[in-house]
Amino acid sequence: MRVNGPFVITRVVDLEGHFRAPQFLLPDATPEAFGATRTFRDPRFYDPERGSLIMSFHSLIVQTERSRILVDTCVGNDKHRPMLPEWHLRKGSYLDDLAAAKLPADSITHVFCTHLHADHIGWNTKLVNGKWVPTFPNAKYIMHRKEVEHWEHVRRTSTEPANHRSWDDSLQPILDSGQALLVDGDHEIEPGVRLMCLPGHTPGNCALCLDDGKQKAFLVGDTIHHPVQVERPHWSSNFCWDKAQSADTRAKFLGDVADTGAWIIPAHFAPPSSVRIVSEASGFWYEA
Ligand SMILES: [Zn+2]
């Protein structure tokens, strides 16, 4: 996908296809409520025969004249995630796929995790001789300070295995290697490339915003998990830290970008994976 001007965005998939029933993700998406949406009849994003959402877990690599910024590192290989069988001890071809896209891991200059859920930090590290090491040896890993502080607090205080225990295998090695760059607020990576905080899904949830002066794109992570949340912005996920704030943030964001022509590229939209938001009398809709 080429965004007009200096930015080129490439999608590299870790896994995609059938996921789970709508209510696994969105508690308000009962069979009746989900069946009443237009997205229910969109075969790109829902399979009515299997009653399953169709989703993707992908990285988006933004190439500018000076940088290669990899956004969200998906689930990863060899991670111990027994609570979700499809994430557990995976042996995917992600690194080969990056290389095949002419974006080998050692060429990435920045990694940006929109938030620190296990499915956004997995390829931060890879297993080498029994040890977790940074997958991207030449990259700075950009994370919002508030997000890191939140998960560090959860890890210290939770009696449950929080966030699939991903801190130990996917974050601590990055902090130890000195590659983490913790940022506050609307950090600018370079002209036209900046972070924007969209709290709610997690406390420090952020988007990457691209603006070449003509066209804008927003890589919004899990601010919108599934296209049905465009027409039902108040449907927050079971995995949102603050469901009410997540819904408010999503509705405001959709209002801000609707009818502007900006590309919205979330972390889990199945192909075509990028949409434009249009406003309608009843709310919002997406043009994929
Ligand atoms: Zn996610």
Side-chain angles (χ1 to χ4, degrees):
M1 171 195 326
R2 178 174 281 274
V3 175
N4 265 348
F7 305 124
V8 177
I9 305 174
T10 305
R11 190 179 79 106
V12 172
V13 171
D14 195 14
L15 65 161
E16 71 179 0
H18 290 89
F19 184 56
R20 299 288 178 93
Q23 270 195 292
F24 177 86
L25 181 66
L26 305 165
D28 296 312
T30 63
E32 299 74 28
F34 188 74
T37 67
R38 284 158 71 185
T39 306
F40 173 78
R41 295 186 297 276
D42 190 332
R44 296 172 297 184
F45 305 124
Y46 180 69
D47 177 351
E49 290 201 359
R50 286 174 58 171
S52 175
L53 299 176
I54 297 170
M55 295 179 69
S56 170
F57 295 76
H58 52 240
S59 296
L60 299 163
I61 300 93
V62 179
Q63 294 181 76
T64 74
E65 280 166 10
R66 55 173 106 160
S67 308
R68 287 184 169 183
I69 306 163
L70 186 143
V71 179
D72 286 331
T73 63
C74 313
V75 175
N77 272 6
D78 302 303
K79 303 277 156 134
H80 202 259
R81 307 282 185 256
M83 289 161 71
L84 270 182
E86 59 268 53
W87 293 5
H88 187 51
L89 300 177
R90 279 178 48 74
K91 298 285 182 195
S93 59
Y94 177 88
L95 288 183
D96 292 338
D97 298 341
L98 268 180
K102 297 194 164 51
L103 298 164
D106 62 3
S107 74
I108 300 298
T109 60
H110 303 75
V111 171
F112 166 54
C113 303
T114 57
H115 63 295
L116 301 183
H117 276 157
D119 60 318
H120 295 258
I121 60 174
W123 275 110
N124 277 6
T125 57
K126 61 180 181 178
L127 194 60
V128 177
N129 297 328
K131 193 164 176 278
W132 295 108
V133 301
T135 306
F136 304 98
N138 301 314
K140 279 286 174 201
Y141 286 67
I142 300 170
M143 306 173 213
H144 199 278
R145 187 182 309 278
K146 191 185 273 187
E147 188 73 4
V148 174
E149 288 172 353
H150 168 73
W151 288 107
E152 191 167 30
H153 174 76
V154 169
R155 170 174 165 268
R156 272 192 281 107
T157 56
S158 176
T159 52
E160 300 292 308
N163 201 14
H164 303 268
R165 294 194 206 275
S166 54
W167 180 283
D168 298 341
D169 56 43
S170 302
L171 283 173
Q172 192 63 50
I174 304 305
L175 299 173
D176 292 345
S177 77
Q179 286 173 258
L181 177 63
L182 307 192
V183 301
D184 297 299
D186 293 354
H187 175 77
E188 185 180 79
I189 297 176
E190 63 182 77
V193 184
R194 67 179 177 84
L195 274 54
M196 175 172 68
C197 208
L198 292 169
H201 179 57
T202 59
N205 186 61
C206 289
L208 189 73
C209 313
L210 308 177
D211 183 353
D212 68 2
K214 284 181 256 167
Q215 183 128 43
K216 292 184 181 177
F218 296 87
L219 283 53
V220 297
D222 288 0
T223 307
I224 312 168
H225 277 93
H226 189 272
V228 75
Q229 290 172 290
V230 174
E231 53 174 327
R232 298 286 188 272
H234 56 286
W235 285 3
S236 286
S237 85
N238 281 316
F239 310 106
C240 288
W241 163 72
D242 182 332
K243 286 189 172 70
Q245 188 184 31
S246 177
D248 287 349
T249 293
R250 186 166 39 257
K252 179 174 185 311
F253 173 75
L254 289 168
D256 288 346
V257 298
D259 311 317
T260 65
W263 288 105
I264 311 305
I265 317 176
H268 299 306
F269 276 26
S273 303
S274 58
V275 298
R276 285 169 152 155
I277 307 300
V278 291
S279 55
E280 297 184 336
S282 59
F284 302 109
W285 182 244
Y286 53 85
E287 289 173 348

